[in-house]
Amino acid sequence: MAISSLPGRPGNLTADQEVKLQELWTATMRLFGISAPERPEDAGADTEDSRPSTPSLGVKKKKRHNVFSRKHHDGEDDGKSADQDDKYGQSKEFQQILASANPEDLRRAFWDMAKHDHPDGLLLRFLRARKWDVHNALVMLIATMKWRLSDMRVDDDIMKKGESGALADSESSNAVVKREGNDFLAQLRLGKSFLHGTDKAGRPICFVRVRLHRQGEQTEASLERYTVYVIETARLVLARPVDTAAILFDMTGFSMANMDYTPVKFMIKCFEANYPESLGVVLVHKAPWIFSSIWNIIKGWLDPVVASKVHFTKNLEELEQFVEKSHIIKELGGDDPWEYQYIEPQPGENNRMSEDGTKQTLLEERATVVKEFEAATQEWIGSSHNKVALQEKRTELAEKLRTGYWQLDPYLRARSLYDRTGMIKEGGTIEYYGEPQTAAAPKPLVASQQNGIPQTDHRPDDVD
């Protein structure tokens, strides 16, 4: 089965999955203050039973303050407890957000989060993560939007300031700001983690050199900021139809001095709560025997679906089950001669971020396409005819949103190491090995490869 045929993605939905996607769009647009039509098949049906409870959740349009401000999160209790299986309390957050939600704030937050993603693909991540339960997917989506805007400030701080912002902070007269800047840059300069190459499924690989981390060397805030920065950058290099990444934890030289549970818990929360369906496979390479007891603790924190994506490899031969030898860096015994080298931010590399005229023009163009996509989605949901033509129109508009985002990108996001090295090129082309990664689809894979590539014979507790 080719990777482009993965189920539950745009262009490959069952009839039932398409209905769920339409229901989630209906619920989402109603929260945005956009009139959403009934599906023709639902006309006259009992909406209490046939659709999620969103329309009756009481969006308060007259509230004009920012729904994502911290005061609407910290210390407030609406009296409704989260679902028993709600690991991260997102149901309670959802209710708190809706109690003061400005529809336009919600709408703007969604489209800022979408970036270059196909909007259907973004919603489908949440549906798959919540086993196609529309209401639970909506709860997760809205809670994630709030996390991005107020908890972590992903786009207007972490990605906007980027590496050059950290460099400026490192020269601050404020001791706290200076420490955070230095700690963030220290991880980049060390090469604690980095993006390079793809696995056999075409997924970008994030290498993590565990031996380079020592507890207490960086502040918790800088570790979290760095983690989100790496994940968000990895998200940028996903090229359709690939929509997940691989993480390779290089455990060479690991000792107990490298173990730090706090950032591990934060990383787990990021992937389970805020970047759903983004992990394709996790490879733990050359873990020593002392890691066995640590893994037993970590595994207990993981969602079973996430835990099932973790594989242990003892040597190069086992690693080759997941990554072609030509794509394994020499540091790990492979044939790829690439070596990590950090290039410092360059003067003037972010000049376009201050060009307000061009940026405003591009933002207005994107806003127009967004409205066209929303209108086409309304028509797609409400019409019983011309479904194929309407979906083709939406696909064309999604592509306009993708290309439009990459035109905007230099005006919104500070340049990264990967822009400076040419891995991320203008227009969103990704080039790891001298060949662009945007057009060519990966080699066909069997079903077991899509779900993490073949299992090794030994179990996690068999590390040595």
Side-chain angles (χ1 to χ4, degrees):
M1 181 186 288
I3 215 167
S4 57
S5 298
L6 284 173
R9 271 73 170 181
N12 188 23
L13 300 177
T14 66
D16 287 343
Q17 289 170 348
E18 183 170 293
V19 168
K20 295 294 186 181
L21 177 59
Q22 290 180 330
E23 289 179 351
L24 183 53
W25 268 118
T26 297
T28 302
M29 288 196 291
R30 288 181 178 179
L31 282 185
F32 296 169
I34 300 171
S35 174
E38 287 187 351
R39 297 176 59 254
E41 298 86 342
D42 293 336
D46 184 350
T47 57
E48 288 279 332
D49 296 329
S50 63
R51 285 209 298 274
S53 58
T54 306
S56 62
L57 287 174
V59 176
K60 299 183 179 180
K61 295 186 180 182
K62 63 183 180 180
K63 298 269 188 177
R64 304 315 299 173
H65 47 265
N66 188 346
V67 65
F68 294 110
S69 62
R70 289 184 183 272
K71 69 179 181 179
H72 296 294
H73 172 59
D74 296 335
E76 290 192 8
D77 189 342
D78 61 4
K80 299 177 182 177
S81 61
D83 295 338
Q84 291 298 311
D85 59 349
D86 184 8
K87 184 175 180 180
Y88 298 106
Q90 290 183 320
S91 294
K92 182 176 180 179
E93 277 195 322
F94 179 65
Q95 294 295 340
Q96 291 172 340
I97 291 167
L98 292 184
S100 55
N102 179 327
E104 186 56 32
D105 286 342
L106 293 170
R107 177 175 175 269
R108 184 169 53 250
F110 174 81
W111 288 109
D112 285 348
M113 177 173 68
K115 295 189 176 181
H116 64 308
D117 280 352
H118 190 306
D120 283 357
L122 182 58
L123 290 190
L124 287 167
R125 288 184 184 277
F126 291 90
L127 280 169
R128 295 196 306 274
R130 289 296 175 257
K131 299 178 174 61
W132 302 93
D133 183 298
V134 175
H135 178 74
N136 288 344
L138 182 67
V139 168
M140 189 182 197
L141 171 68
I142 300 300
T144 293
M145 286 157 54
K146 185 262 179 189
W147 176 84
R148 291 179 66 89
L149 268 85
S150 70
D151 294 355
M152 293 306 302
R153 296 183 60 198
V154 175
D155 295 312
D156 71 344
D157 182 21
I158 294 177
M159 302 307 289
K160 183 178 181 178
K161 290 182 64 176
E163 297 165 27
S164 60
L167 184 60
D169 286 349
S170 72
E171 299 168 355
S172 173
S173 59
N174 183 305
V176 174
V177 173
K178 183 173 184 175
R179 169 76 189 275
E180 294 297 330
N182 278 323
D183 283 359
F184 183 84
L185 286 172
Q187 298 174 85
L188 287 161
R189 289 165 175 161
L190 273 174
K192 184 183 290 187
S193 63
F194 52 85
L195 303 170
H196 177 69
T198 56
D199 68 3
K200 286 185 176 180
R203 295 175 290 226
I205 303 173
C206 177
F207 293 83
V208 182
R209 295 153 148 176
V210 181
R211 66 184 178 277
L212 297 181
H213 176 78
R214 289 184 177 271
Q215 186 175 7
E217 283 191 345
Q218 287 92 32
T219 67
E220 184 176 338
S222 71
L223 288 169
E224 291 182 357
R225 186 181 185 90
Y226 178 74
T227 299
V228 172
Y229 183 74
V230 173
I231 295 173
E232 195 69 16
T233 304
R235 183 185 167 207
L236 284 173
V237 304
L238 293 176
R240 298 176 200 161
V242 176
D243 63 357
T244 60
I247 300 181
L248 194 162
F249 288 97
D250 176 14
M251 303 293 287
T252 305
F254 174 85
S255 71
M256 290 304 294
N258 306 122
M259 192 58 230
D260 191 352
Y261 288 111
T262 299
V264 171
K265 285 184 175 180
F266 179 76
M267 185 183 299
I268 291 170
K269 179 182 183 296
C270 283
F271 283 113
E272 291 188 352
N274 305 120
Y275 291 94
E277 296 291 305
S278 295
L279 270 182
V281 66
V282 177
L283 305 176
V284 183
H285 187 57
K286 290 190 173 180
W289 67 269
I290 58 171
F291 187 71
S292 297
S293 58
I294 295 171
W295 167 245
N296 287 333
I297 295 171
I298 294 173
K299 187 175 181 180
W301 299 336
L302 294 174
D303 179 277
V305 174
V306 175
S308 71
K309 298 179 181 181
V310 179
H311 303 268
F312 286 73
T313 58
K314 289 184 175 182
N315 49 47
L316 179 62
E317 182 180 357
E318 290 183 354
L319 186 57
E320 285 182 60
Q321 295 182 53
F322 301 87
V323 187
E324 297 285 358
K325 189 175 182 180
S326 60
H327 287 185
I328 298 174
I329 57 177
K330 279 196 172 182
E331 182 176 321
L332 297 180
D335 293 337
D336 183 356
W338 183 90
E339 295 181 355
Y340 180 83
Q341 182 177 0
Y342 184 66
I343 300 174
E344 297 286 328
Q346 302 298 300
E349 67 180 13
N350 296 315
N351 283 351
R352 281 179 286 184
M353 295 183 74
S354 59
E355 295 178 13
D356 292 336
T358 303
K359 178 166 66 175
Q360 187 58 36
T361 298
L362 292 171
L363 286 170
E364 290 172 359
E365 290 175 357
R366 181 172 175 84
T368 298
V369 181
V370 164
K371 288 182 179 179
E372 291 176 357
F373 186 90
E374 290 171 341
T377 299
Q378 289 174 299
E379 191 176 1
W380 170 63
I381 294 170
S383 175
S384 58
H385 306 290
N386 302 319
K387 287 285 189 181
V388 174
L390 289 171
Q391 187 59 281
E392 288 177 352
K393 180 180 180 181
R394 295 178 71 250
T395 299
E396 291 173 2
L397 290 168
E399 178 60 16
K400 282 187 177 181
L401 288 169
R402 187 191 73 81
T403 57
Y405 168 77
W406 282 111
Q407 287 180 303
L408 254 175
D409 180 72
Y411 300 89
L412 302 177
R413 178 181 65 88
R415 301 299 85 185
S416 70
L417 166 67
Y418 306 104
D419 298 281
R420 293 190 284 278
T421 60
M423 190 183 95
I424 300 178
K425 296 188 175 298
E426 292 278 334
T429 298
I430 308 302
E431 190 171 308
Y432 299 109
Y433 310 108
E435 296 180 359
Q437 301 293 309
T438 52
K443 297 177 182 179
L445 301 174
V446 297
S448 62
Q449 288 177 309
Q450 297 170 34
N451 296 322
I453 317 292
Q455 298 274 357
T456 53
D457 292 335
H458 49 272
R459 301 174 310 186
D461 57 359
D462 197 25
V463 294
D464 59 14

PDB file of all heavy atoms in Angstrom, residues 423-434:
ATOM      1  N   MET A 423      18.093  23.503   3.956  1.00  0.00           N
ATOM      2  CA  MET A 423      17.191  22.356   4.033  1.00  0.00           C
ATOM      3  C   MET A 423      15.750  22.795   3.791  1.00  0.00           C
ATOM      4  O   MET A 423      14.988  22.143   3.083  1.00  0.00           O
ATOM      5  CB  MET A 423      17.312  21.667   5.397  1.00  0.00           C
ATOM      6  CG  MET A 423      16.583  20.341   5.472  1.00  0.00           C
ATOM      7  SD  MET A 423      16.658  19.594   7.113  1.00  0.00           S
ATOM      8  CE  MET A 423      15.123  20.174   7.834  1.00  0.00           C
ATOM      9  N   ILE A 424      15.351  23.914   4.422  1.00  0.00           N
ATOM     10  CA  ILE A 424      14.049  24.526   4.142  1.00  0.00           C
ATOM     11  C   ILE A 424      14.297  25.651   3.145  1.00  0.00           C
ATOM     12  O   ILE A 424      15.002  26.613   3.445  1.00  0.00           O
ATOM     13  CB  ILE A 424      13.397  25.088   5.412  1.00  0.00           C
ATOM     14  CG1 ILE A 424      13.165  23.979   6.443  1.00  0.00           C
ATOM     15  CG2 ILE A 424      12.072  25.767   5.071  1.00  0.00           C
ATOM     16  CD1 ILE A 424      12.575  24.475   7.753  1.00  0.00           C
ATOM     17  N   LYS A 425      13.714  25.511   1.975  1.00  0.00           N
ATOM     18  CA  LYS A 425      13.931  26.503   0.929  1.00  0.00           C
ATOM     19  C   LYS A 425      12.707  27.394   0.768  1.00  0.00           C
ATOM     20  O   LYS A 425      11.620  27.080   1.258  1.00  0.00           O
ATOM     21  CB  LYS A 425      14.255  25.802  -0.392  1.00  0.00           C
ATOM     22  CG  LYS A 425      15.570  25.013  -0.345  1.00  0.00           C
ATOM     23  CD  LYS A 425      15.960  24.492  -1.708  1.00  0.00           C
ATOM     24  CE  LYS A 425      17.316  23.814  -1.658  1.00  0.00           C
ATOM     25  NZ  LYS A 425      18.402  24.710  -1.260  1.00  0.00           N
ATOM     26  N   GLU A 426      12.910  28.507   0.090  1.00  0.00           N
ATOM     27  CA  GLU A 426      11.800  29.413  -0.196  1.00  0.00           C
ATOM     28  C   GLU A 426      10.675  28.637  -0.880  1.00  0.00           C
ATOM     29  O   GLU A 426      10.930  27.821  -1.772  1.00  0.00           O
ATOM     30  CB  GLU A 426      12.260  30.550  -1.119  1.00  0.00           C
ATOM     31  CG  GLU A 426      13.233  31.520  -0.462  1.00  0.00           C
ATOM     32  CD  GLU A 426      12.544  32.576   0.399  1.00  0.00           C
ATOM     33  OE1 GLU A 426      11.369  32.883   0.132  1.00  0.00           O
ATOM     34  OE2 GLU A 426      13.187  33.088   1.328  1.00  0.00           O
ATOM     35  N   GLY A 427       9.458  28.880  -0.457  1.00  0.00           N
ATOM     36  CA  GLY A 427       8.321  28.190  -1.057  1.00  0.00           C
ATOM     37  C   GLY A 427       7.984  26.874  -0.411  1.00  0.00           C
ATOM     38  O   GLY A 427       7.040  26.194  -0.816  1.00  0.00           O
ATOM     39  N   GLY A 428       8.762  26.466   0.610  1.00  0.00           N
ATOM     40  CA  GLY A 428       8.421  25.257   1.353  1.00  0.00           C
ATOM     41  C   GLY A 428       9.032  23.979   0.830  1.00  0.00           C
ATOM     42  O   GLY A 428       8.718  22.897   1.338  1.00  0.00           O
ATOM     43  N   THR A 429       9.901  24.049  -0.158  1.00  0.00           N
ATOM     44  CA  THR A 429      10.591  22.844  -0.621  1.00  0.00           C
ATOM     45  C   THR A 429      11.592  22.397   0.445  1.00  0.00           C
ATOM     46  O   THR A 429      12.312  23.210   1.007  1.00  0.00           O
ATOM     47  CB  THR A 429      11.340  23.112  -1.938  1.00  0.00           C
ATOM     48  OG1 THR A 429      10.392  23.473  -2.944  1.00  0.00           O
ATOM     49  CG2 THR A 429      12.108  21.882  -2.398  1.00  0.00           C
ATOM     50  N   ILE A 430      11.611  21.088   0.711  1.00  0.00           N
ATOM     51  CA  ILE A 430      12.517  20.528   1.716  1.00  0.00           C
ATOM     52  C   ILE A 430      13.554  19.687   1.005  1.00  0.00           C
ATOM     53  O   ILE A 430      13.231  18.817   0.191  1.00  0.00           O
ATOM     54  CB  ILE A 430      11.744  19.661   2.734  1.00  0.00           C
ATOM     55  CG1 ILE A 430      10.548  20.432   3.318  1.00  0.00           C
ATOM     56  CG2 ILE A 430      12.687  19.191   3.847  1.00  0.00           C
ATOM     57  CD1 ILE A 430      10.897  21.721   4.010  1.00  0.00           C
ATOM     58  N   GLU A 431      14.828  19.926   1.305  1.00  0.00           N
ATOM     59  CA  GLU A 431      15.908  19.243   0.618  1.00  0.00           C
ATOM     60  C   GLU A 431      16.913  18.723   1.636  1.00  0.00           C
ATOM     61  O   GLU A 431      17.644  19.482   2.252  1.00  0.00           O
ATOM     62  CB  GLU A 431      16.580  20.212  -0.361  1.00  0.00           C
ATOM     63  CG  GLU A 431      17.567  19.565  -1.309  1.00  0.00           C
ATOM     64  CD  GLU A 431      18.034  20.519  -2.392  1.00  0.00           C
ATOM     65  OE1 GLU A 431      17.187  21.135  -3.065  1.00  0.00           O
ATOM     66  OE2 GLU A 431      19.259  20.662  -2.534  1.00  0.00           O
ATOM     67  N   TYR A 432      16.912  17.380   1.814  1.00  0.00           N
ATOM     68  CA  TYR A 432      17.840  16.761   2.761  1.00  0.00           C
ATOM     69  C   TYR A 432      19.113  16.284   2.077  1.00  0.00           C
ATOM     70  O   TYR A 432      20.213  16.435   2.591  1.00  0.00           O
ATOM     71  CB  TYR A 432      17.197  15.542   3.419  1.00  0.00           C
ATOM     72  CG  TYR A 432      15.954  15.824   4.215  1.00  0.00           C
ATOM     73  CD1 TYR A 432      14.704  15.419   3.749  1.00  0.00           C
ATOM     74  CD2 TYR A 432      16.022  16.473   5.441  1.00  0.00           C
ATOM     75  CE1 TYR A 432      13.555  15.647   4.488  1.00  0.00           C
ATOM     76  CE2 TYR A 432      14.887  16.711   6.182  1.00  0.00           C
ATOM     77  CZ  TYR A 432      13.645  16.295   5.701  1.00  0.00           C
ATOM     78  OH  TYR A 432      12.515  16.536   6.427  1.00  0.00           O
ATOM     79  N   TYR A 433      18.940  15.639   0.914  1.00  0.00           N
ATOM     80  CA  TYR A 433      20.052  14.950   0.271  1.00  0.00           C
ATOM     81  C   TYR A 433      20.346  15.508  -1.123  1.00  0.00           C
ATOM     82  O   TYR A 433      20.890  14.827  -1.966  1.00  0.00           O
ATOM     83  CB  TYR A 433      19.728  13.461   0.136  1.00  0.00           C
ATOM     84  CG  TYR A 433      19.260  12.819   1.413  1.00  0.00           C
ATOM     85  CD1 TYR A 433      17.924  12.452   1.577  1.00  0.00           C
ATOM     86  CD2 TYR A 433      20.145  12.570   2.460  1.00  0.00           C
ATOM     87  CE1 TYR A 433      17.493  11.846   2.745  1.00  0.00           C
ATOM     88  CE2 TYR A 433      19.718  11.963   3.623  1.00  0.00           C
ATOM     89  CZ  TYR A 433      18.383  11.606   3.766  1.00  0.00           C
ATOM     90  OH  TYR A 433      17.955  11.009   4.922  1.00  0.00           O
ATOM     91  N   GLY A 434      19.945  16.752  -1.347  1.00  0.00           N
ATOM     92  CA  GLY A 434      20.163  17.336  -2.656  1.00  0.00           C
ATOM     93  C   GLY A 434      18.999  17.153  -3.594  1.00  0.00           C
ATOM     94  O   GLY A 434      19.041  17.573  -4.750  1.00  0.00           O
TER      95      GLY A 434
END
